[in-house]
Amino acid sequence: MANRFNKSFPSFSPLHSEFSPECRIIDNFSDHFSFNICDKEKDDKYYAHQLDKMILESSLSPSTAIMASDVSIKNNVATSISHTHVYNSPIIKMIHHAVHVTSTEAELFTIRCGINQASNFDNMSKIIVVTDSTHVARKIFKPSVHPYQIQSAAILSNLHSFFKCHENNSIEFWECPSCLKWHLHNEVNKETKTFNPTPLYPCKMSWDFSKKSESNDILKVWKMMFQASDLKGNQFLDLLDNDNNIIEPSYVKGGLWLKTFGHSNSLCACATRAITNHAPISEYRLRFFPRKEFKCPCGLYPIESRRHILHECGRFNGYWNLRRDSLNHFVMFLETNPSAFTFSDSLV
Ligand SMILES: [Zn+2]
């Protein structure tokens, strides 16, 4: 980790004047920038119509610049492209390649270049940025310390002088999900994918990229350790996700298991007992008292095993679902059978 960080270039800039209270854009020009977000609840066509309407209104004004940007990453090389449209002028295309950066950094960089270019036009009063990553654009105005501050500071300085030029100068960010295939953004999106660059020389890594590769490596180790059954335990119940893949460890949002049953302590306890087969059932007791009888209380099975409880035992909701191997159905079983794998159901 130390070696990798030695090679990385820092991107923090918390002491920059753009981040000091009272000088910040959010304090002085909060009504000069806005975000238009695609409402996931509503129809895609409705939002595409909103974008069309915005273009119709803006494209006839010589003082409005519309900038569409996108990024794609191949072989660790990020290609970021922006197209700037200004009334009666040819489209300005900008293409940048960067090695060992994250998509967030590349996205911010292309927004930075686009804004810089648009604000340099004479008599420009409005800049419209169309991007599929408004969550990245929001980082520009984030007052707390974050690893993209070098980019944010440059964009904010640029915006500062742009807003100071005239009280009506403003910037709008419009979200445009790539799946919408809305024409101006789709053009850029397609163009980013046409490049197939290969880095020729060893390159430094960005701070963010180093963190990302470090956590990817750690995840790989977790997954490898997890696949070796003697480390996770021979009795571990492998469950599938909605795409029929075996659930593997991840740190994202606490991992898939906890995301599904972590909201309830009792459910979490039952699920853990069942998954590890460390539960108050006969199959477990048999490991310590191999000569004793451990029939299932239903009387139909010689051993009360986890498999029997989950799949066959008439005491538990006889038939619960055809699918018995997915995490969602497993949790559904535990919720509809609150006595399964609990001590209240225990024989002792
Ligand atoms: Zn039974």
Side-chain angles (χ1 to χ4, degrees):
M1 201 152 169
N3 284 343
R4 191 171 280 157
F5 283 163
N6 282 338
K7 284 187 268 172
S8 73
F9 53 87
S11 49
F12 301 100
S13 186
L15 301 175
H16 196 281
S17 60
E18 290 296 339
F19 303 113
S20 56
E22 290 181 19
C23 301
R24 299 177 302 191
I25 286 236
I26 50 164
D27 299 321
N28 300 314
F29 298 99
S30 58
D31 51 345
H32 288 240
F33 62 90
S34 59
F35 286 87
N36 295 277
I37 306 298
C38 174
D39 189 347
K40 304 271 183 307
E41 306 280 296
K42 285 189 181 149
D43 189 16
D44 277 356
K45 274 189 189 150
Y46 171 81
Y47 189 70
H49 179 67
Q50 299 283 99
L51 283 163
D52 286 337
K53 224 169 97 183
M54 174 273 284
I55 283 290
L56 263 177
E57 283 163 14
S58 318
S59 57
L60 293 174
S61 154
S63 57
T64 300
I66 301 158
M67 196 267 284
S69 71
D70 204 8
V71 166
S72 102
I73 295 187
K74 259 189 222 165
N75 308 329
N76 283 335
V77 183
T79 304
S80 57
I81 298 185
S82 69
H83 290 181
T84 308
H85 306 254
V86 180
Y87 175 74
N88 253 352
S89 312
I91 303 175
I92 305 163
K93 294 187 178 183
M94 255 197 296
I95 299 170
H96 289 100
H97 297 291
V99 186
H100 295 153
V101 297
T102 59
S103 55
T104 306
E105 289 168 306
E107 202 80 57
L108 264 180
F109 181 73
T110 183
I111 292 176
R112 170 182 171 180
C113 298
I115 291 176
N116 183 270
Q117 198 169 48
S119 61
N120 282 329
F121 270 93
D122 288 337
N123 304 319
M124 195 51 69
S125 68
K126 192 177 190 180
I127 302 170
I128 293 172
V129 179
V130 182
T131 170
D132 61 355
S133 319
T134 32
H135 63 283
V136 172
R138 280 191 190 279
K139 293 188 193 295
I140 301 169
F141 304 98
K142 211 173 155 191
S144 57
V145 176
H146 61 85
Y148 310 100
Q149 285 181 318
I150 283 197
Q151 306 285 4
S152 312
I155 299 172
L156 289 170
S157 309
N158 208 159
L159 288 178
H160 232 128
S161 23
F162 177 59
F163 295 155
K164 266 187 192 161
C165 273
H166 197 277
E167 57 180 23
N168 287 335
N169 284 3
S170 64
I171 185 162
E172 283 179 14
F173 293 87
W174 283 75
E175 185 180 28
C176 180
S178 302
C179 57
L180 208 64
K181 296 202 182 306
W182 185 69
H183 62 108
L184 286 193
H185 188 264
N186 200 31
E187 282 300 308
V188 188
N189 181 271
K190 276 197 300 196
E191 210 171 308
T192 57
K193 296 196 166 84
T194 54
F195 290 89
N196 202 3
T198 323
L200 293 176
Y201 306 105
C203 295
K204 271 188 171 187
M205 290 178 185
S206 75
W207 177 268
D208 213 38
F209 185 87
S210 300
K211 282 203 304 184
K212 196 169 157 258
S213 359
E214 206 59 45
S215 65
N216 285 349
D217 289 350
I218 290 168
L219 265 184
K220 267 187 218 155
V221 173
W222 278 9
K223 285 178 184 172
M224 258 163 52
M225 283 166 67
F226 185 72
Q227 274 163 8
S229 63
D230 55 333
L231 284 166
K232 68 178 174 185
N234 293 326
Q235 304 273 323
F236 198 91
L237 181 66
D238 277 324
L239 293 161
L240 305 178
D241 63 13
N242 292 338
D243 300 321
N244 284 341
N245 298 315
I246 288 186
I247 292 173
E248 290 187 316
S250 163
Y251 62 91
V252 180
K253 293 182 184 167
L256 277 170
W257 289 282
L258 281 179
K259 202 163 76 184
T260 322
F261 51 70
H263 56 279
S264 152
N265 283 351
S266 54
L267 180 66
C268 190
C270 280
T272 310
R273 282 185 213 126
I275 289 173
T276 54
N277 213 4
H278 204 98
I281 56 172
S282 309
E283 190 182 8
Y284 181 73
R285 288 189 206 106
L286 203 66
R287 287 157 64 182
F288 305 99
F289 308 103
R291 288 187 193 161
K292 283 203 176 180
E293 272 227 12
F294 285 113
K295 261 190 183 172
C296 180
C298 72
L300 296 172
Y301 209 72
I303 301 162
E304 186 201 19
S305 67
R306 173 176 67 188
R307 205 191 164 281
H308 172 67
I309 293 173
L310 283 176
H311 295 250
E312 302 151 343
C313 188
R315 292 185 302 141
F316 300 105
N317 193 25
Y319 167 82
W320 53 286
N321 203 300
L322 274 177
R323 286 287 306 275
R324 290 144 198 233
D325 48 0
S326 85
L327 177 61
N328 281 342
H329 289 116
F330 166 76
V331 170
M332 220 187 285
F333 172 85
L334 294 179
E335 277 173 341
T336 45
N337 299 285
S339 64
F341 303 104
T342 57
F343 286 90
S344 55
D345 185 50
S346 164
L347 287 170
V348 184

